[in-house]
Amino acid sequence: MIQKIYKFGGASVKDADAVRNLTNIVKQHKDEDILLVVSAMGKTTNMLEKVLADFRQHNGELGFGALSEVMEYHERIILDLFDNKQDHPVIESVSNLFIELYEKLSQPDLDYDYQYDQTVSYGELLSTTIIQEYLNHCDVPARWLDARKYVLTDYRFRAANPDWDETRLKIQKLNDEHIRGIVCITQGFIGGTADGKHSVTLGREGSDYTAAIFANCLDAEEVTIWKDVDGLLNADPKRFANTIKIPHISYSEAIELAFYGATIIHPKTIKPLQNKNITLKVQSFLHPECGPTIIDNNSVSEDHSQLSTSHSPLFTPHYIVKDNQTLVSISPRDFSFMNEHNLQIIFATCDELHIHANMMQTSALMLSFCFDHNDTKCQSLIATLRDDFSIKYNDGLQLFTIRHYTEGIETDFIAGRKVFLEQRSRTTAQFIISGS
């Protein structure tokens, strides 16, 4: 029975030394029944996005140069890991993946979202192929699994939803097939359509979600997300000084933080774990000896009426910043109220365009909301609604959220910035502000 799921993100496998570090961590736990969920190496997904853009814009003429960079990056890692052994079998395996990728890129006139998923999914296929070979090379028996055969989804490319019944049937068979002492390794972020013909992705940074899906279907004991920080912090240490590690929080608090944009956990991760009461740990791959943050069915009271006097770590303020936001303000042209009918039209359009509102506010005549900038989606939204609604928008903004807010603690961060919109509740304050 596979009892533990380890998820390693791109930073944890960004180069040969990082892969060696992953291997050392796995060796320490190789007697346990583990499934590894691994992301693309380093910034490979970003690199593949550029490759796709170049192929589409220049009919492949400039795209091959960008693709060569991706190939050379993975080749350097392979040669370092395998002592510059040019004839290792992994070379052929990786070369075949790049041939497949080139064929996918060379197909003309494909829908962008569809071709995106067929392209970027190779980042995870490449990383897991290399790491599985290296684990075996280091006497850690490893079995490679194609996530596209296990995580079966609908056809919503770039934001696919699992078909839980079919996915569970596929994944549960792994427990029957599992041989103790063999580490299973699969890809995060990607899945496949039920007909087996197309790759899909679960949304950016979706590897956490993949780990939760496997854990739920396998009835695992716990999931560990290995990060480059010492656990769940109350803010991004790259933006804020004197961050605080949170040793233990509840599922509900974790999902609130993820919803508001805390990048350490994918927003969809918590539900599959909470439903089966599976513990989630966030632990440092740089300092694995340090204790993790534990996320579970915490029994600590969350009486938010006492926030102003509580000094429990549960109530430490959390600071979350989402960059590159677009703020849209929509008003009916006929001066009617922003009522349920008008809201229904707007929300239906957002759903069709896959626009997710990160914050929203209504007044008598206006709905305002912000979302992650996407020029194509923004222009499509305007084109769809402009006959009946007046629309204004601003780009390049930040959404600043303080969870467990107390009066005045936002001052330093928003000083000198224009505040376009703000919203406060008993526990949370949000500000849409001009970029830094």
Side-chain angles (χ1 to χ4, degrees), residues 254-289:
I255 203 167
E256 291 283 358
L257 295 174
F259 175 81
Y260 288 124
T263 57
I264 202 163
I265 304 171
H266 187 276
K268 293 183 178 180
T269 303
I270 301 299
K271 183 179 184 297
L273 303 181
Q274 187 278 336
N275 290 172
K276 293 287 188 74
N277 200 23
I278 298 168
T279 298
L280 175 61
K281 297 180 177 179
V282 181
Q283 191 161 1
S284 170
F285 64 78
L286 298 174
H287 305 287
E289 70 281 1

Side-chain angles (χ1 to χ4, degrees), residues 206-423:
S207 294
D208 293 355
Y209 187 34
T210 302
I213 292 170
F214 274 92
N216 178 285
C217 295
L218 292 168
D219 292 315
E221 293 177 357
E222 63 184 45
V223 173
T224 302
I225 298 175
W226 295 90
K227 305 286 289 187
D228 56 358
V229 291
D230 291 339
L232 177 63
L233 306 180
N234 73 319
D236 183 348
K238 297 175 183 177
R239 294 182 187 269
F240 298 88
N242 304 315
T243 56
I244 299 170
K245 179 180 175 178
I246 309 300
H248 196 178
I249 65 171
S250 66
Y251 292 128
S252 58
E253 183 65 18
I255 203 167
E256 291 283 358
L257 295 174
F259 175 81
Y260 288 124
T263 57
I264 202 163
I265 304 171
H266 187 276
K268 293 183 178 180
T269 303
I270 301 299
K271 183 179 184 297
L273 303 181
Q274 187 278 336
N275 290 172
K276 293 287 188 74
N277 200 23
I278 298 168
T279 298
L280 175 61
K281 297 180 177 179
V282 181
Q283 191 161 1
S284 170
F285 64 78
L286 298 174
H287 305 287
E289 70 281 1
C290 294
T293 293
I294 296 175
I295 303 169
D296 59 14
N297 193 20
N298 196 321
S299 60
V300 176
S301 171
E302 296 185 28
D303 180 4
H304 298 306
S305 67
Q306 301 300 316
L307 280 177
S308 61
T309 60
S310 175
H311 297 285
S312 164
L314 178 65
F315 302 115
T316 299
H318 289 256
Y319 303 89
I320 303 166
V321 180
K322 288 180 71 73
D323 293 315
N324 204 19
Q325 297 293 293
T326 296
L327 174 63
V328 175
S329 296
I330 304 173
S331 301
R333 291 188 181 277
D334 64 0
F335 219 61
S336 61
F337 284 116
M338 185 53 70
N339 55 24
E340 289 77 8
H341 175 72
N342 285 327
L343 290 172
Q344 181 183 37
I345 293 171
I346 296 168
F347 289 148
T349 302
C350 288
D351 181 59
E352 183 178 341
L353 296 174
H354 301 167
I355 293 175
H356 169 70
N358 297 320
M359 173 186 171
M360 67 177 68
Q361 190 175 99
T362 58
S363 66
L365 297 174
M366 183 177 294
L367 169 68
S368 296
F369 62 90
C370 71
F371 59 95
D372 298 340
H373 173 73
N374 182 304
D375 190 61
T376 300
K377 291 182 179 181
C378 185
Q379 295 306 316
S380 297
L381 179 71
I382 293 171
T384 304
L385 297 177
R386 62 188 172 194
D387 288 346
D388 298 314
F389 298 91
S390 173
I391 303 172
K392 299 179 181 179
Y393 70 95
N394 299 85
D395 286 329
L397 306 181
Q398 287 183 329
L399 174 59
F400 177 42
T401 301
I402 306 174
R403 177 76 174 160
H404 303 311
Y405 164 82
T406 54
E407 190 69 34
I409 61 175
E410 79 282 3
T411 303
D412 288 344
F413 190 82
I414 69 173
R417 312 277 197 94
K418 180 178 180 180
V419 178
F420 287 81
L421 202 67
E422 65 179 87
Q423 189 164 274

Side-chain angles (χ1 to χ4, degrees), residues 94-166:
V94 168
S95 296
N96 288 337
L97 287 173
F98 276 114
I99 291 170
E100 291 178 16
L101 173 57
Y102 182 77
E103 291 173 351
K104 302 282 187 184
L105 288 162
S106 299
Q107 298 178 42
D109 303 323
L110 295 177
D111 173 76
Y112 177 80
D113 286 352
Y114 171 78
Q115 193 171 26
Y116 178 96
D117 280 5
Q118 311 320 299
T119 299
V120 302
S121 57
Y122 278 87
E124 279 70 19
L125 297 173
L126 289 163
S127 66
T128 52
T129 297
I130 294 169
I131 293 168
Q132 185 248 356
E133 289 282 2
Y134 186 69
L135 288 170
N136 285 321
H137 176 75
C138 295
D139 299 320
V140 180
R143 176 190 176 193
W144 187 88
L145 304 174
D146 188 341
R148 298 172 298 178
K149 306 300 182 185
Y150 292 92
V151 181
L152 304 182
T153 75
D154 58 17
Y155 293 81
R156 189 169 181 171
F157 297 103
R158 298 190 69 186
N161 299 299
D163 180 329
W164 279 96
D165 290 337
E166 292 299 319

